[in-house]
Amino acid sequence: MTPYSPQPSAPLLAIRGLSKAFLGVQALDGVDFTLRHGEIHALLGENGAGKSTLIKTLTGVYRRDAGTVALEGREIAPRGVEEAQRLHIGTVYQEVNLLPNLSVAENLFLGRQPMRFGFVDRGAMRRRARAVLSGFGLSVDVTAPLGRFSVATQQIVAIARAVDMSAKALILDEPTASLDAQEVAVLFGVLRALKGRGIGIVFVTHFLDQVYAVCDRITVLRNGRLVGERRTEDLPRLDLVAMMLGRELEAAAHRIAADPAADTQAGTDARPPLVRFRGFGKARSVEPFDLDIRPGEVVGLAGLLGSGRTETVRLVFGMDRADRGEAAVDGRTLRLRGPREAIRLGFGFCPEDRKKEGIVGELSVRENIVLALQARQGWLRPIPRRRQEEIADRFIRLLDIRTPDAERPIQLLSGGNQQKALLARWLATEPRLLILDEPTRGIDVGAHAEIIRLIERLCADGMALLVVSSELEEIVAYSRRVVVLRDRRHVAELRGGEVTVDRIVSAIASEPVPAGPEGAPA
Amino acid sequence: MIHRFLPLIVTIAVLVVGFLLCALQFPNFASLRVVGNLLTDNAFLGITAIGMTFVILSGGIDLSVGAVIGFTTVLLAVLIEQGGWDPPAAFAAALLAAALFGAAMGAIIHVFRMPPFIVTLAGMFVARGMAFVLTTDSLPINHPLYGELNDVAWRFDGGGKLSLPAMVLLVVLALAVVLAHWTRFGANLYALGGNRQSAELMGVPVARTTVAVYTLSGLLAGLAGIVFSLYTGAGYSLAATGVELDTITAVVIGGAQLTGGYGYVLGTFAGVLIQGLIQTYITFDGTLSSWWTKIAIGALLFVFILLQKGLLAAWTGRGGEPAEA
């Protein structure tokens, strides 16, 4: 590796006042971002913060509305990833954008193969590929198809390609999302070596531990605006999480006075749990966790985006198959083989993306409401029309779904009413455990409050609820117990009076306990 | 190493074993004459199938090749017999027409993001229709040069010979192998067939490559048309009906994947020869109906597709690092 001679004045990459709007929504609003030579710079933010818009606008995938980008003092305006690469800005995505059918060497040198007498010099290509990869500590058969290697190896090949094409700035968009701990360690070794060569790295991730493990500087975005840039050692975790979530930690707890009886009940584990998970988990999805849910209890799952909340509920509902640990319902150990079995056991699940996974837009409100009940009963025994109408009318009244009549196509309803119809679908099956993933996302404030009231009423009726939400006040308002996740791991369980926004935020920001590979919380 | 070439090795093994079985049954089979005839009889099919291999490698398909062959033979007959053109000039015109036809289809596929299946299906009807517009009859070509070209051959002792069509096939084969593996164009084809979006992100000129591969397929279909007209000495608008399917069969038996990105020109060549071998066997036998050819090829095609599916699952179901590459 060639020793690096530092550029005296200009930063490697200087983004000033970058703005981008989509259909009137301001995705980026005058954002500044500075990448220096030889640093690893974390770009952090929650959903909708503008991280991917920033990267895509920087590399020319989107055209910017305003602002300047300068590379080592020279203004640039690439019109695509390829042109950005020519301007020395390499990008590596979470899903490796290489070609699994080509060999490792061909992937490294596609479009820039060494030539001799007008033909590709395959021997030279192999030799150079080996040389390049050995610089990354990778010794593999470069003639083997890339698709046969692990994602981590493919990622390193992608980075090697970008760096070998003379990248000075390297953008890594969630490179560790599908890697295991050992692979992450290898990747970080590579990143540190690149840093030593003077390359600047933008590191987008959801894993706070990784940020503190490898990054020199942190820039936080929120709602398309710059929140701030800090040196990693000057920014305690608590402050970082506060920056990301955008809240004052001194704010008073929002907890409504807890019902002391309920607290003791939860505390003493008096009733037998409805469901009981021990060491339940799935590799590359969520670390093994223990979880009990009792009848009539509301358990909240809190954490940052990508912390493993959705992965946890997918495991609980059997949408993803756990590869370790055991599950028991009513004290009976069983294997959750899929959503059908979960429904048979009396589980219900309202997914996060109701448009994609929930409602059937063309069907009427009535048909959407009876869907799960009909599915559980089997399609060979249709529910009589009269009974369907009774069920639909009952829930429309009970949940106050605003629709002229039960026969209206559900896509014509507002988001909040669609969400309530989805809830009705599961309530109609009289579930014993209902899982709600972001039940209040994308609905207006009024409907928001109604859904929270509804949740409280449901658990009073003896139904157990498992709720995922990004709205911490909301979780605090209805949860008797809150499980906090960070980096795909259950890091804390708060109960009773402990359930406050501040406690949740501190748990998210807590230092990782040096734990064994199976470091599930006790 | 073995893993990647396995489909190719299997195809070649089937060809060799098949040939040995035929030779065991018919003492005259293992002769240069039979081999020479195999190459001559299947030259037009082989040349077309090589073009098809490139198209399929890039993730596309070209259903127009049979019709382009038919059109080319008619165009040659009309130009030479009715227009009084010199055959070389007519050859050049036919090649140009076929290449432009392919280029037009490639451009439509790329610019309008249309499925190649539909565009080349339309191209098939257009080319066949144009052949009928020129003439509906079979037009014999009696130019003296045709006789001379048909006499060009590299003769061996014992009556075997390598005819001009066979030589053209072998030259095209050699050039195609070089094109596939020793040029950037070849690498770009594999990249495009592997994943179009990734290829684009990695800087593969998608537009240029797409147009070029259909141009190449058209050009080779035109060349196959010339060979076919030499072979039959006539131009006929119904010539080479269904050849597009025979070529696709050869490509698949040769180990390529219809979804693109995997396959070898040499495999296609072996696939063509396997089809020819089955036909030759049935001719030698004399009692079997020629439809048995189709049945045998159908069965073989099915077995090869199953085999590939199994092999691909074994490859891509990667267990961490490669076991032993």
mmCIF file of all heavy atoms in Angstrom, chain A residues 293-316:
data_model
loop_
_atom_site.group_PDB
_atom_site.id
_atom_site.type_symbol
_atom_site.label_atom_id
_atom_site.label_comp_id
_atom_site.label_asym_id
_atom_site.label_seq_id
_atom_site.Cartn_x
_atom_site.Cartn_y
_atom_site.Cartn_z
ATOM 1 N N ILE A 293 -45.594 -13.666 28.195
ATOM 2 C CA ILE A 293 -46.719 -12.731 28.099
ATOM 3 C C ILE A 293 -47.911 -13.381 28.793
ATOM 4 O O ILE A 293 -48.260 -14.527 28.482
ATOM 5 C CB ILE A 293 -47.062 -12.404 26.629
ATOM 6 C CG1 ILE A 293 -45.817 -11.895 25.897
ATOM 7 C CG2 ILE A 293 -48.168 -11.355 26.565
ATOM 8 C CD1 ILE A 293 -46.023 -11.688 24.422
ATOM 9 N N ARG A 294 -48.502 -12.636 29.750
ATOM 10 C CA ARG A 294 -49.630 -13.184 30.507
ATOM 11 C C ARG A 294 -50.936 -12.653 29.968
ATOM 12 O O ARG A 294 -50.961 -11.587 29.353
ATOM 13 C CB ARG A 294 -49.476 -12.811 31.990
ATOM 14 C CG ARG A 294 -48.309 -13.511 32.605
ATOM 15 C CD ARG A 294 -48.066 -13.183 34.043
ATOM 16 N NE ARG A 294 -46.891 -13.922 34.438
ATOM 17 C CZ ARG A 294 -45.653 -13.603 34.077
ATOM 18 N NH1 ARG A 294 -45.440 -12.517 33.352
ATOM 19 N NH2 ARG A 294 -44.645 -14.341 34.429
ATOM 20 N N PRO A 295 -52.022 -13.358 30.225
ATOM 21 C CA PRO A 295 -53.326 -12.873 29.762
ATOM 22 C C PRO A 295 -53.604 -11.486 30.320
ATOM 23 O O PRO A 295 -53.279 -11.212 31.477
ATOM 24 C CB PRO A 295 -54.314 -13.896 30.319
ATOM 25 C CG PRO A 295 -53.507 -15.121 30.587
ATOM 26 C CD PRO A 295 -52.129 -14.656 30.920
ATOM 27 N N GLY A 296 -54.191 -10.624 29.517
ATOM 28 C CA GLY A 296 -54.569 -9.294 29.963
ATOM 29 C C GLY A 296 -53.423 -8.324 30.059
ATOM 30 O O GLY A 296 -53.579 -7.210 30.542
ATOM 31 N N GLU A 297 -52.256 -8.713 29.605
ATOM 32 C CA GLU A 297 -51.073 -7.882 29.760
ATOM 33 C C GLU A 297 -50.733 -7.196 28.433
ATOM 34 O O GLU A 297 -50.904 -7.793 27.373
ATOM 35 C CB GLU A 297 -49.916 -8.788 30.179
ATOM 36 C CG GLU A 297 -48.720 -8.049 30.681
ATOM 37 C CD GLU A 297 -47.615 -9.009 31.096
ATOM 38 O OE1 GLU A 297 -47.505 -10.106 30.500
ATOM 39 O OE2 GLU A 297 -46.867 -8.667 31.997
ATOM 40 N N VAL A 298 -50.239 -5.973 28.505
ATOM 41 C CA VAL A 298 -49.742 -5.303 27.304
ATOM 42 C C VAL A 298 -48.229 -5.205 27.427
ATOM 43 O O VAL A 298 -47.712 -4.617 28.365
ATOM 44 C CB VAL A 298 -50.317 -3.886 27.147
ATOM 45 C CG1 VAL A 298 -49.825 -3.276 25.843
ATOM 46 C CG2 VAL A 298 -51.825 -3.917 27.187
ATOM 47 N N VAL A 299 -47.523 -5.819 26.497
ATOM 48 C CA VAL A 299 -46.068 -5.747 26.498
ATOM 49 C C VAL A 299 -45.645 -4.901 25.301
ATOM 50 O O VAL A 299 -46.055 -5.160 24.169
ATOM 51 C CB VAL A 299 -45.443 -7.156 26.396
ATOM 52 C CG1 VAL A 299 -43.932 -7.052 26.324
ATOM 53 C CG2 VAL A 299 -45.868 -8.010 27.573
ATOM 54 N N GLY A 300 -44.867 -3.874 25.556
ATOM 55 C CA GLY A 300 -44.384 -3.012 24.480
ATOM 56 C C GLY A 300 -42.983 -3.408 24.073
ATOM 57 O O GLY A 300 -42.190 -3.860 24.898
ATOM 58 N N LEU A 301 -42.686 -3.275 22.796
ATOM 59 C CA LEU A 301 -41.331 -3.499 22.300
ATOM 60 C C LEU A 301 -40.813 -2.156 21.826
ATOM 61 O O LEU A 301 -41.372 -1.561 20.907
ATOM 62 C CB LEU A 301 -41.321 -4.489 21.135
ATOM 63 C CG LEU A 301 -41.562 -5.970 21.448
ATOM 64 C CD1 LEU A 301 -41.532 -6.783 20.168
ATOM 65 C CD2 LEU A 301 -40.499 -6.469 22.405
ATOM 66 N N ALA A 302 -39.739 -1.674 22.461
ATOM 67 C CA ALA A 302 -39.208 -0.372 22.090
ATOM 68 C C ALA A 302 -37.781 -0.528 21.590
ATOM 69 O O ALA A 302 -37.081 -1.467 21.961
ATOM 70 C CB ALA A 302 -39.240 0.573 23.282
ATOM 71 N N GLY A 303 -37.351 0.401 20.760
ATOM 72 C CA GLY A 303 -35.989 0.370 20.245
ATOM 73 C C GLY A 303 -35.920 1.241 19.018
ATOM 74 O O GLY A 303 -36.947 1.703 18.513
ATOM 75 N N LEU A 304 -34.715 1.475 18.547
ATOM 76 C CA LEU A 304 -34.563 2.286 17.352
ATOM 77 C C LEU A 304 -34.931 1.456 16.126
ATOM 78 O O LEU A 304 -35.080 0.240 16.205
ATOM 79 C CB LEU A 304 -33.117 2.765 17.208
ATOM 80 C CG LEU A 304 -32.608 3.689 18.307
ATOM 81 C CD1 LEU A 304 -31.134 3.983 18.084
ATOM 82 C CD2 LEU A 304 -33.404 4.971 18.334
ATOM 83 N N LEU A 305 -35.043 2.147 15.007
ATOM 84 C CA LEU A 305 -35.271 1.465 13.744
ATOM 85 C C LEU A 305 -34.165 0.430 13.530
ATOM 86 O O LEU A 305 -32.995 0.711 13.733
ATOM 87 C CB LEU A 305 -35.228 2.500 12.617
ATOM 88 C CG LEU A 305 -35.461 1.987 11.217
ATOM 89 C CD1 LEU A 305 -36.916 1.649 11.036
ATOM 90 C CD2 LEU A 305 -35.026 3.044 10.218
ATOM 91 N N GLY A 306 -34.543 -0.770 13.140
ATOM 92 C CA GLY A 306 -33.540 -1.792 12.849
ATOM 93 C C GLY A 306 -32.997 -2.473 14.082
ATOM 94 O O GLY A 306 -32.027 -3.212 14.004
ATOM 95 N N SER A 307 -33.609 -2.247 15.264
ATOM 96 C CA SER A 307 -33.071 -2.842 16.483
ATOM 97 C C SER A 307 -33.555 -4.273 16.676
ATOM 98 O O SER A 307 -33.113 -4.949 17.581
ATOM 99 C CB SER A 307 -33.472 -1.990 17.687
ATOM 100 O OG SER A 307 -34.880 -1.893 17.739
ATOM 101 N N GLY A 308 -34.488 -4.729 15.842
ATOM 102 C CA GLY A 308 -34.948 -6.110 15.941
ATOM 103 C C GLY A 308 -36.370 -6.237 16.454
ATOM 104 O O GLY A 308 -36.809 -7.330 16.768
ATOM 105 N N ARG A 309 -37.114 -5.118 16.520
ATOM 106 C CA ARG A 309 -38.496 -5.180 17.023
ATOM 107 C C ARG A 309 -39.372 -5.995 16.083
ATOM 108 O O ARG A 309 -40.035 -6.949 16.497
ATOM 109 C CB ARG A 309 -39.076 -3.760 17.124
ATOM 110 C CG ARG A 309 -38.340 -2.866 18.073
ATOM 111 C CD ARG A 309 -38.815 -1.433 17.931
ATOM 112 N NE ARG A 309 -38.765 -1.009 16.529
ATOM 113 C CZ ARG A 309 -38.954 0.227 16.128
ATOM 114 N NH1 ARG A 309 -39.254 1.176 16.994
ATOM 115 N NH2 ARG A 309 -38.879 0.542 14.861
ATOM 116 N N THR A 310 -39.369 -5.599 14.808
ATOM 117 C CA THR A 310 -40.208 -6.298 13.838
ATOM 118 C C THR A 310 -39.770 -7.751 13.702
ATOM 119 O O THR A 310 -40.596 -8.661 13.621
ATOM 120 C CB THR A 310 -40.143 -5.567 12.483
ATOM 121 O OG1 THR A 310 -40.673 -4.264 12.665
ATOM 122 C CG2 THR A 310 -40.934 -6.293 11.430
ATOM 123 N N GLU A 311 -38.440 -7.979 13.752
ATOM 124 C CA GLU A 311 -37.935 -9.353 13.661
ATOM 125 C C GLU A 311 -38.472 -10.189 14.820
ATOM 126 O O GLU A 311 -38.813 -11.360 14.637
ATOM 127 C CB GLU A 311 -36.397 -9.350 13.684
ATOM 128 C CG GLU A 311 -35.736 -8.849 12.408
ATOM 129 C CD GLU A 311 -35.667 -7.336 12.297
ATOM 130 O OE1 GLU A 311 -36.235 -6.646 13.189
ATOM 131 O OE2 GLU A 311 -35.073 -6.827 11.343
ATOM 132 N N THR A 312 -38.546 -9.587 16.019
ATOM 133 C CA THR A 312 -39.036 -10.325 17.179
ATOM 134 C C THR A 312 -40.493 -10.750 16.971
ATOM 135 O O THR A 312 -40.844 -11.913 17.179
ATOM 136 C CB THR A 312 -38.923 -9.455 18.453
ATOM 137 O OG1 THR A 312 -37.555 -9.108 18.633
ATOM 138 C CG2 THR A 312 -39.429 -10.202 19.665
ATOM 139 N N VAL A 313 -41.340 -9.812 16.542
ATOM 140 C CA VAL A 313 -42.749 -10.187 16.418
ATOM 141 C C VAL A 313 -42.955 -11.156 15.245
ATOM 142 O O VAL A 313 -43.832 -12.005 15.298
ATOM 143 C CB VAL A 313 -43.687 -8.957 16.298
ATOM 144 C CG1 VAL A 313 -43.682 -8.173 17.576
ATOM 145 C CG2 VAL A 313 -43.340 -8.093 15.110
ATOM 146 N N ARG A 314 -42.129 -11.060 14.226
ATOM 147 C CA ARG A 314 -42.250 -12.024 13.129
ATOM 148 C C ARG A 314 -41.926 -13.439 13.619
ATOM 149 O O ARG A 314 -42.556 -14.401 13.197
ATOM 150 C CB ARG A 314 -41.327 -11.643 11.963
ATOM 151 C CG ARG A 314 -41.821 -10.435 11.173
ATOM 152 C CD ARG A 314 -40.871 -10.089 10.038
ATOM 153 N NE ARG A 314 -40.836 -11.120 9.025
ATOM 154 C CZ ARG A 314 -41.621 -11.126 7.952
ATOM 155 N NH1 ARG A 314 -42.475 -10.164 7.759
ATOM 156 N NH2 ARG A 314 -41.532 -12.099 7.069
ATOM 157 N N LEU A 315 -40.950 -13.529 14.529
ATOM 158 C CA LEU A 315 -40.621 -14.843 15.108
ATOM 159 C C LEU A 315 -41.779 -15.352 15.970
ATOM 160 O O LEU A 315 -42.145 -16.521 15.898
ATOM 161 C CB LEU A 315 -39.362 -14.752 15.975
ATOM 162 C CG LEU A 315 -38.010 -14.763 15.294
ATOM 163 C CD1 LEU A 315 -36.924 -14.793 16.351
ATOM 164 C CD2 LEU A 315 -37.878 -15.954 14.377
ATOM 165 N N VAL A 316 -42.334 -14.436 16.772
ATOM 166 C CA VAL A 316 -43.402 -14.833 17.689
ATOM 167 C C VAL A 316 -44.614 -15.340 16.904
ATOM 168 O O VAL A 316 -45.266 -16.303 17.285
ATOM 169 C CB VAL A 316 -43.786 -13.653 18.608
ATOM 170 C CG1 VAL A 316 -45.079 -13.947 19.356
ATOM 171 C CG2 VAL A 316 -42.664 -13.360 19.586
#
